[in-house]
Amino acid sequence: MSDTVKILVVEDELTVRRVIRQYLEREGYTVIETDNGSQALQLAQAEQPDLVILDIMLPGIDGYTIARSLRRPLDDNTTHDIPIIMLTARTEEMDRITGFEAGTDDYVTKPFSPRELVMRVKALLRRSAPPVPETGIETGKVLTFDDIIIDPNTRNIERDGTALDLTHKEFELLYFLASHPRHVFSRMQLLDQIWGYDFYGDDSNVTVHIHRLREKLEHDPAKPKYVHTVWGVGYKFDPS
């Protein structure tokens, strides 16, 4: 299936862009590339890629702005769900948080291993793929807890009858936790389950996504009703 997958690479360093293209094409992916933000938005609209690898520091429009634009609601009030991997030399926690708040799904810092990047691309594409219905087989169990409904088949979540706008990773994280109520998972366990890797993973990804998930799910994120921190261990979903 990989030969049908189209990836947009937005990177202003020619050498880095060539290496990324080389490794992705070895896996059979179709690669579209550009070195600037303005053309990136045009290509995203024209080519409808399956995934975007996006540098932060770009001529013209920066990566944060591009990510926000790709997440902008469509005419039917839904949002673009294209997976985004942020690629940057910035390592500060605030930069990472800003990237996730802009709607990116993963964050890779330079210098990086091209093999690791390909691994993350595969994991993100696998996790973001829509469920494939099979005759007589349930694609996913709808979960209902008090005032929220989580439907993995449509990837919709409602709170008090209102649809919530979650990213791929936020939805996957919530559904996994809610599927195991009161079970405590460490950050590394969640990283492995949701992002599909553990050795290369940075568990701050989990922390930021939990924070973002609470902001959207909880009426009072400072006093969460559902997603709880177990200090020194990890997180759990507790509907009681």
Side-chain angles (χ1 to χ4, degrees):
M1 188 179 82
S2 61
D3 60 346
T4 68
V5 173
K6 189 184 299 183
I7 298 176
L8 173 59
V9 178
V10 189
E11 165 63 60
D12 64 336
E13 295 184 41
L14 178 59
T15 301
V16 175
R17 205 165 64 245
R18 284 177 173 172
V19 170
I20 294 173
R21 181 179 195 121
Q22 178 183 11
Y23 274 80
L24 291 175
E25 287 184 340
R26 282 181 184 175
E27 299 296 323
Y29 298 118
T30 298
V31 178
I32 310 159
E33 61 179 81
T34 181
D35 62 358
N36 67 86
S38 298
Q39 189 176 27
L41 291 174
Q42 295 173 4
L43 287 171
Q45 182 176 10
E47 299 289 343
Q48 296 294 302
D50 299 286
L51 183 142
V52 176
I53 297 174
L54 179 62
D55 190 19
I56 290 181
M57 302 301 293
L58 294 166
I61 305 175
D62 64 41
Y64 296 136
T65 303
I66 294 171
R68 293 188 188 100
S69 297
L70 293 176
R71 291 285 182 252
R72 192 169 296 154
L74 302 171
D75 293 338
D76 58 358
N77 292 323
T78 61
T79 59
H80 291 282
D81 260 348
I82 180 172
I84 301 173
I85 297 177
M86 191 72 86
L87 185 66
T88 179
R90 294 182 172 183
T91 58
E92 295 297 323
E93 182 181 1
M94 195 62 228
D95 295 317
R96 187 184 299 268
I97 292 173
T98 302
F100 286 132
E101 288 180 341
T104 60
D105 298 281
D106 203 353
Y107 198 102
V108 177
T109 56
K110 300 176 183 177
F112 62 91
S113 161
R115 291 186 179 89
E116 175 193 346
L117 180 61
V118 170
M119 178 189 67
R120 294 195 183 202
V121 166
K122 289 181 177 180
L124 189 51
L125 287 170
R126 183 173 63 251
R127 301 282 175 169
S128 62
V132 179
E134 299 182 49
T135 304
I137 298 178
E138 185 181 26
T139 57
K141 181 181 179 181
V142 178
L143 304 178
T144 303
F145 300 95
D146 195 9
D147 57 348
I148 66 171
I149 301 174
I150 310 169
D151 188 344
N153 306 304
T154 60
R155 301 186 70 83
N156 290 331
I157 174 171
E158 292 185 3
R159 186 190 65 194
D160 295 325
T162 301
L164 303 182
D165 181 20
L166 270 60
T167 65
H168 281 297
K169 283 294 174 287
E170 289 164 356
F171 185 93
E172 293 290 339
L173 183 58
L174 175 60
Y175 188 75
F176 179 76
L177 288 171
S179 297
H180 305 82
R182 303 179 185 86
H183 187 102
V184 181
F185 294 94
S186 69
R187 290 175 180 82
M188 291 306 295
Q189 286 175 321
L190 291 172
L191 192 69
D192 184 38
Q193 289 291 329
I194 308 305
W195 278 260
Y197 53 85
D198 51 10
F199 179 78
Y200 292 106
D202 184 341
D203 63 10
S204 66
N205 288 4
V206 177
T207 305
V208 172
H209 277 77
I210 289 287
H211 174 74
R212 295 288 294 164
L213 178 59
R214 283 176 176 156
E215 286 188 336
K216 297 179 180 181
L217 176 69
E218 306 282 1
H219 286 287
D220 183 358
K223 298 178 180 179
K225 176 180 178 180
Y226 290 110
V227 181
H228 300 270
T229 300
V230 180
W231 296 107
V233 184
Y235 303 99
K236 67 176 180 178
F237 183 93
D238 190 344
S240 59

